């Protein structure tokens, strides 16, 4: 509890502080002090001799009010007030300069535009450097297989490929069910339900199988790569590797890259098979197309190159996902916030680039008549 | 002297491993208590148990006569605000600036205006001997010693009655470590703080701590440094018989403190 006794005498206002003045009483202290008017006083004496307890926050609130009175022209005197506190307050006040200059907010838009353009260039440059580094690493690994870490590759094939099998199989089935239902319903009205088979087979084999698998893997493994490497960076594990003469590219990036290039095409094949199986099942259930009809229709109308056109994109997507994931991981600095930011970027950027690459492939295949 | 925190019959067991077995500890008001013990003797578990981060297998912990382990969560949170904790590696929030790290509790638990919070934050920075411009930096931009100081400023911001320090001088160079010891002594005197520190630093033990609690055989043996040095217990003798310990003890004999030899 705080108690405050004020006496006025010959132009002097005397404050006698009593009780326990602590952080918990901050509100009461503020209201009580600010209620005191100077009136005619030209001097204020703050007497802390009767206090049981005075902590820093409470003392500072008293000091702050004293500053206000001083500005109103009163002379302040502290009696039995802890000198150490006053020392801290004086120094802190002197040192308090305006911080976080307004400059940052007042920058002209032009300047900000320029800065973000430069930042973009720096990012691009960083990625190109990283890409080059990885290529060099691959070439080195090709010519001196002893530096290549097979065990690490197997580990990552398992974690990015084999453990992704259930979810990839499931989404392949689901998307194929959706297409068969939607397309089959429409085509049956035209009496052309047989074409449902062509539609599902071609769209899944050419585009959807590989694309959905790549997006799934980008979400699963791209983020994992970024987070793993990012955490190793904040833990200085990457530095430790470097100091021991290890090349982080050879040890961390290349195995992940190679593993994903192996895993993603295999997952794509799996997705294709599962999607066709699901389509066959749904077709027989709702469109009265028997399994043998389905099979002969696919064998007749779907060429091998349709399947190849989808599969050939998988390694390219894998490279994009692995490189973006590892690169974002390497860009993590210090804080946990940065880790989150770069993990998010790894996923968003790799999905974006996978879709962009897919569009480019579509144009290319069209031009080639593939 | 009045007891501020009392630990009674504390038992901590993890699996088949018993870390504390009927441990008793008293922390007295306005003292600086050092908790020591070899690696793996359960210092950190003891500290974590007192702080409520670890639920003991059995035993009670009293703060100013109130039993903590059976207390409601909200009451406990209120009591905890009278404690300041400095973690070994600072545990600063890495996404907040130094200023926001220190102001966090002020903003959260008081009705002070942002300007007042900022001023009070600067006072704390001044108290731990840091320049005002440090306030705008982020934890990842600070050196080890600065992180410790900022962590101390954050621990002090709610004007705690008890300050817990987990290895305050570990990872600091000798000069910084000594400065830090002095800082703790100064703050202890100026703020009437009760300080509990877990430490491996024999210099800190000799220069800062008024009383030492040593974890031996899953229990506490406490006393002044001189009393512990005079103890016949083999583990205590071993702890203080290393060459480094001996050198520091010699120095302190010169300062008028008796030693065993």
């Amino acid at each position: 509890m705080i108690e405050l006794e004020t006496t006025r005498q010959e132009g002097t206002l005397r404050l006698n502080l009593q009780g326990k003045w602590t952080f918990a009483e901050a509100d009461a202290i503020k209201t009580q002090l600010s209620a005191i008017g100077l009136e005619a006083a030209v001097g204020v004496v703050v007497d802390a001799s009767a206090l049981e307890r005075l902590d820093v926050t409470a003392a500072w609130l008293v000091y702050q009010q004293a500053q206000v009175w001083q500005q109103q022209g009163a002379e302040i005197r502290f009696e039995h007030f802890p000198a150490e506190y006053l020392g801290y307050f004086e120094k802190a006040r002197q040192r308090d300069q305006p911080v976080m200059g307004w400059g940052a907010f007042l920058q002209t838009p032009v300047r900000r535009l320029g800065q973000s353009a430069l930042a973009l260039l720096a990012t691009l440059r960083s990625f190109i450097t990283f890409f080059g580094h990885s290529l060099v690493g691959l070439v080195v690994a090709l010519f001196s297989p002893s530096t290549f870490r097979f065990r690490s590759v197997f580990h990552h094939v398992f974690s990015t490929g084999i453990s992704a099998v259930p979810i990839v199989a499931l989404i392949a089935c689901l998307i194929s069910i959706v297409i068969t239902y939607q397309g089959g319903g429409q085509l049956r009205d035209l009496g052309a339900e047989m074409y449902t088979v062509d539609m599902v087979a071609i769209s899944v084999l050419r585009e959807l199988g590989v694309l959905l698998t790549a997006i799934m893997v980008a979400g699963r493994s791209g983020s994992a790569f970024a987070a793993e490497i990012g955490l190793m960076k904040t833990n200085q594990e990457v530095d430790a590797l470097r100091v021991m003469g290890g090349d982080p590219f050879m040890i961390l990036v290349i195995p992940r890259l190679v593993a994903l290039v192996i895993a993603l095409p295999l997952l794509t094949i799996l997705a294709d098979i599962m999607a066709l199986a699901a389509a066959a099942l749904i077709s027989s259930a709702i469109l009265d197309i028997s399994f043998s009809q389905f099979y002969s229709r696919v064998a007749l109308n779907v060429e091998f190159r349709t399947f190849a056109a989808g599969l050939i994109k998988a390694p390219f997507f894998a490279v994009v996902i692995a490189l973006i994931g590892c690169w974002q991981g390497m860009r993590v600095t210090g804080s946990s916030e940065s880790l989150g930011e770069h993990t998010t970027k790894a996923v968003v950027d790799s999905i974006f680039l996978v879709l962009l690459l897919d569009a480019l492939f579509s144009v290319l295949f069209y031009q080639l008549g593939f | 002297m009045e007891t501020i925190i009392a630990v009674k019959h504390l038992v901590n067991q993890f699996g088949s491993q018993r870390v504390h077995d009927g441990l008793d500890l008293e922390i007295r008001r306005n003292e600086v208590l050092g908790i020591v013990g070899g690696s793996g003797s359960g210092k950190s578990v003891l500290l974590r148990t007192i702080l409520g981060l670890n639920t003991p297998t059995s035993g009670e912990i009293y703060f100013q006569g109130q039993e903590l382990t059976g207390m409601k969560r909200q009451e406990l949170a209120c009591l905890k605000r009278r404690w300041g904790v400095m973690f070994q590696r600072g545990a600063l929030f890495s996404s907040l600036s130094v200023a926001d790290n220190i102001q966090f509790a002020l903003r959260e638990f008081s009705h002070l205006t942002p300007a007042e919070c900022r001023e009070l934050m600067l006072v704390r920075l001044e108290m731990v001997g840091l320049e005002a411009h440090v306030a705008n930096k982020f934890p990842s931009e600070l050196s080890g010693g600065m992180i410790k100081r900022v962590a101390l400023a954050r621990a002090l911001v709610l004007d705690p009655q008890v300050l817990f320090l987990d290895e305050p001088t570990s990872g600091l160079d000798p000069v910084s470590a000594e400065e830090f010891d002095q800082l703790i002594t100064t703050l202890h005197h100026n703020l009437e703080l009760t300080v509990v520190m877990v430490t491996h630093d024999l210099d800190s033990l000799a220069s800062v701590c008024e009383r030492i609690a040593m974890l031996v055989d899953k229990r506490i043996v406490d006393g002044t440094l001189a009393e512990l040095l005079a103890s016949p217990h083999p583990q205590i003798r071993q702890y203080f018989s290393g060459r480094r310990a001996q050198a520091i003890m010699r120095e302190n004999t010169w300062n008028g403190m008796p030693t065993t030899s």
Side-chain angles (χ1 to χ4, degrees), chain A residues 27 30 57 60 84 99 336, chain B residues 94 111 116 118-119 159 190:
Chain A
D27 291 340
K30 268 169 73 178
T57 307
W60 182 82
E84 306 84 20
V99 281
S336 55
Chain B
S94 58
H111 304 290
E116 287 169 333
R118 183 171 168 76
E119 288 279 329
D159 286 310
N190 291 351

Side-chain angles (χ1 to χ4, degrees), chain A residues 1 21 23 74 83 111 114 116 157 180-181 192 199 231 234 296 309 338 341 367:
Chain A
M1 286 307 106
W21 288 52
F23 177 81
R111 191 166 157 194
S116 46
V157 168
T180 315
Y181 258 101
M199 184 186 71
L231 200 64
T234 46
S296 54
S338 156
E341 183 194 320
Q367 296 292 337

Side-chain angles (χ1 to χ4, degrees), chain B:
Chain B
M1 252 197 296
E2 187 192 348
T3 302
I4 188 162
I5 294 177
V7 179
K8 288 188 180 155
H9 317 300
L10 182 71
V11 177
N12 264 312
Q13 186 156 356
F14 301 104
S16 63
Q17 191 198 3
R18 197 161 266 223
V19 181
H20 302 132
D21 194 1
L23 177 150
D24 293 303
L25 173 67
E26 276 190 4
I27 300 166
R28 299 170 191 158
R29 191 181 288 281
N30 293 348
E31 75 171 346
V32 183
L33 176 75
I35 298 179
V36 298
S39 296
S41 60
K43 301 182 298 288
S44 298
V45 177
L46 176 60
L47 190 66
R48 288 178 61 87
T49 309
I50 297 175
L51 293 174
L53 298 172
N54 170 49
T55 313
T57 313
S58 70
E60 298 108 53
I61 295 155
Y62 297 88
F63 174 57
Q64 294 181 328
Q66 289 174 283
E67 216 272 310
L68 296 186
T69 40
M71 199 178 264
K72 282 195 195 121
R73 184 173 289 208
Q74 270 186 328
E75 289 175 318
L76 200 60
C78 254
L79 273 188
K80 291 276 176 68
R81 278 177 220 156
R82 297 194 222 157
W83 296 0
V85 186
M86 186 189 128
F87 288 94
Q88 193 176 348
R89 294 201 294 179
L92 299 178
F93 305 125
S94 58
S95 56
L96 299 181
S97 67
V98 167
D100 290 333
N101 258 291
I102 300 175
Q103 290 177 72
F104 176 80
L106 281 180
R107 296 235 164 127
E108 209 73 1
F109 305 126
S110 77
H111 304 290
L112 298 168
T113 64
E116 287 169 333
C117 286
R118 183 171 168 76
E119 288 279 329
L120 280 167
M121 178 273 295
L122 287 166
V123 169
R124 264 38 172 236
L125 274 185
E126 175 60 39
M127 281 163 63
V128 298
L130 287 173
E131 303 270 334
H133 66 79
V134 176
N136 298 319
K137 296 199 172 189
F138 279 83
S140 55
E141 301 168 323
L142 301 179
S143 70
M146 281 160 106
I147 286 177
K148 298 250 177 193
R149 280 169 193 259
V150 173
L152 183 61
R154 188 177 72 174
L156 288 172
V157 79
L158 289 184
D159 286 310
Q161 294 175 12
V162 191
L163 181 64
F164 294 92
L165 308 169
D166 191 0
E167 306 214 8
T169 52
S170 73
L172 296 184
D173 64 89
V175 179
S176 310
E178 200 173 324
E179 277 177 13
F180 208 86
D181 281 344
Q182 270 169 10
L183 176 63
I184 291 168
T185 314
T186 315
L187 292 174
H188 166 66
H189 281 302
N190 291 351
L191 307 180
E192 297 180 3
L193 276 172
T194 308
V195 180
V196 180
M197 59 199 273
V198 169
T199 186
H200 276 304
D201 188 335
L202 293 159
D203 282 308
S204 306
L205 278 184
S207 63
V208 185
C209 299
E210 295 162 354
R211 213 161 60 89
I212 293 169
M214 184 162 184
L215 271 155
V216 181
D217 291 337
K218 300 163 189 177
R219 296 184 192 197
I220 289 284
V221 176
D222 61 350
T224 61
L225 184 59
E227 283 167 5
L228 282 186
L229 286 169
S231 161
H233 196 292
Q235 268 184 298
I236 300 176
R237 291 190 71 90
Q238 192 193 359
Y239 190 87
F240 290 108
S241 67
R243 208 180 301 162
R244 300 210 275 174
Q246 287 298 321
I248 287 159
M249 296 320 143
R250 267 199 296 282
E251 202 174 296
N252 280 291
T253 330
W254 187 76
N255 288 336
M257 198 182 277
T259 65
T260 45
S261 53

